[in-house]
């Protein structure tokens, strides 16, 4: 299905690993009734990394489809989720209640009206007090600046994990990272080769234990921004009408 057609089915993809404290809040925050009123069919996919707590049981009890993905990695979970999603539109959320799921109908409407392939949500637009560590804020700003300079894109929050995309976009990309670098990688590909935009959002305090390792993951993401310059041309696996040659590729 082309992203220029009106989309009427939605898949919400949520990666999890021991998120029993936040998964119920996250699923509850999805505006199911509003989406149904607008005529959308909804499926919720929980891509679980072999949790040892009650995450899967809670999510299953709330009507979600559980997909067990024992291969490790944030990016790996999303690759599996994208391949399993049946919706014309895919929405991603973390399982800790941090993202504004209540805004999903607005973002989907914008995606359809503007005939976009991909939307990413800027968490810094309206962030709750103490929702993010100062070290994470600084690290994100550095990574976003480097990504913007290296790839000639405009992105204020390169590490955001709330995205709204067409299924055709998800099927066309061939992302390489299996870890947290996946988040910056998907934005680079979306902004360089497809119709993409960053919209204002919100960010709430996390429910449950944080998984991100500040220094190690930040350093890995920074290195990946430089490594990916020679690999970006391999990140699209099928022809797309909006793809153009990238000056970054030419200069690599």
């Amino acid at each position: 299905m082309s992203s220029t057609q009106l989309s009427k089915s939605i898949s919400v993809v949520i990666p999890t690993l021991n998120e029993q404290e936040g998964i119920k809040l996250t699923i509850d925050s999805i505006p199911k009734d509003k989406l149904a009123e607008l005529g959308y069919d909804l499926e919720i996919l929980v891509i679980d990394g072999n949790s040892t707590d009650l995450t899967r049981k809670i999510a299953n009890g709330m009507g979600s489809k559980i997909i067990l993905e024992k291969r490790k990695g944030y990016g790996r979970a999303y690759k599996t989720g994208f391949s399993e999603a049946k919706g014309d539109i895919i929405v991603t959320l973390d399982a800790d209640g941090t993202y504004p799921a209540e805004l999903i109908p607005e973002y989907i409407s914008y995606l359809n009206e503007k005939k976009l392939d991909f939307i990413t949500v800027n968490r810094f637009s309206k962030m709750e007090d103490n929702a993010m560590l100062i070290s994470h804020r600084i690290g994100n700003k550095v990574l976003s600046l480097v990504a913007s300079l290296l790839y000639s894109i405009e992105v204020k929050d390169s590490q955001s994990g709330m995205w709204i995309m067409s299924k055709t976009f998800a099927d066309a990309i061939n992302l390489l990272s299996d870890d947290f670098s996946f988040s910056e990688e998907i934005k680079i590909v979306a902004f360089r080769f497809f119709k993409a935009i960053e919209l204002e959002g919100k960010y709430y305090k996390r429910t449950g234990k944080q998984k991100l390792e500040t220094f190690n993951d930040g350093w890995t993401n920074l290195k990946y921004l430089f490594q990916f310059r020679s690999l970006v041309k391999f990140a699209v696996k099928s022809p797309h009408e909006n793809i153009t040659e990238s000056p970054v590729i030419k200069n690599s």
Side-chain angles (χ1 to χ4, degrees):
M1 175 174 179
S2 168
S3 60
T4 60
Q5 296 176 285
L6 184 61
S7 303
K8 279 300 180 180
S9 58
I10 300 165
S11 298
V12 177
V13 178
I14 308 171
T16 59
L17 179 61
N18 295 328
E19 293 286 1
Q20 65 178 15
E21 296 178 55
I23 189 61
K24 183 179 187 301
L25 172 64
T26 300
I27 295 174
D28 276 340
S29 70
I30 298 170
K32 305 173 191 66
D33 291 342
K34 178 65 175 178
L35 291 171
E37 289 175 11
L38 294 172
Y40 290 107
D41 294 324
L42 173 67
E43 69 169 358
I44 300 174
L45 304 181
V46 170
I47 316 301
D48 187 72
N50 203 23
S51 293
T52 56
D53 63 3
L54 299 176
T55 298
R56 291 197 299 276
K57 182 177 180 179
I58 293 170
N60 184 62
M62 299 181 73
S64 303
K65 179 180 179 180
I66 312 299
I67 300 172
L68 187 61
E69 175 52 271
K70 294 184 178 181
R71 291 172 291 182
K72 294 182 179 180
Y74 179 81
R76 180 64 261 172
Y78 273 127
K79 291 176 187 178
T80 299
F82 293 171
S83 67
E84 294 287 338
K86 306 301 182 186
D88 304 318
I89 288 178
I90 297 174
V91 179
T92 66
L93 295 171
D94 285 353
D96 54 11
T98 51
Y99 287 107
E102 71 275 10
L103 298 180
I104 288 175
E106 295 180 30
Y107 292 139
I108 289 176
S109 177
Y110 196 89
L111 186 88
N112 281 325
E113 289 175 6
K114 300 299 182 181
K115 299 178 181 178
L116 299 171
D117 297 299
F118 179 87
I119 292 172
T120 183
V121 176
N122 179 7
R123 297 171 295 176
F124 294 97
S125 303
K126 190 174 182 181
M127 185 179 292
E128 279 189 347
D129 292 341
N130 302 316
M132 185 182 293
L133 296 173
I134 294 297
S135 57
H136 288 183
R137 290 182 184 232
I138 294 172
N140 195 319
K141 294 295 184 182
V142 170
L143 291 169
S144 298
L145 177 61
V146 173
S148 297
L149 292 174
L150 286 179
Y151 296 94
S152 300
I153 62 175
E154 293 186 15
V155 60
K156 296 178 181 177
D157 185 4
S158 66
Q159 307 304 305
S160 171
M162 185 176 183
W163 317 312
I164 301 87
M165 70 192 78
S166 67
K167 175 62 170 172
T168 51
F169 167 80
D171 288 342
I173 58 177
N174 183 37
L175 302 191
L176 309 176
S177 176
D178 280 347
D179 55 28
F180 285 111
S181 302
F182 185 92
S183 183
E184 58 196 15
E185 183 182 3
I186 196 171
K187 296 176 186 68
I188 292 166
V189 172
F191 280 84
R192 290 305 300 270
F193 302 127
F194 296 84
K195 293 180 180 178
I197 194 170
E198 182 179 58
L199 295 181
E200 293 187 355
K202 300 177 183 178
Y203 195 63
Y204 306 121
K205 292 179 182 178
R206 192 189 205 288
T207 300
K209 186 178 179 181
Q210 177 182 292
K211 304 296 190 304
L212 188 69
E213 296 182 13
T214 303
F215 179 80
N216 289 338
D217 289 323
W219 178 241
T220 297
N221 287 358
L222 181 61
K223 289 190 296 182
Y224 192 77
L225 286 174
F226 289 92
Q227 295 167 350
F228 189 57
R229 294 189 74 210
S230 62
L231 302 172
V232 64
K233 58 188 174 184
F234 302 112
V236 179
K237 63 185 177 184
S238 62
H240 191 285
E241 62 182 357
N242 298 319
I243 293 176
T244 56
E245 183 73 9
S246 164
V248 173
I249 296 173
K250 290 179 180 178
N251 295 333
S252 294

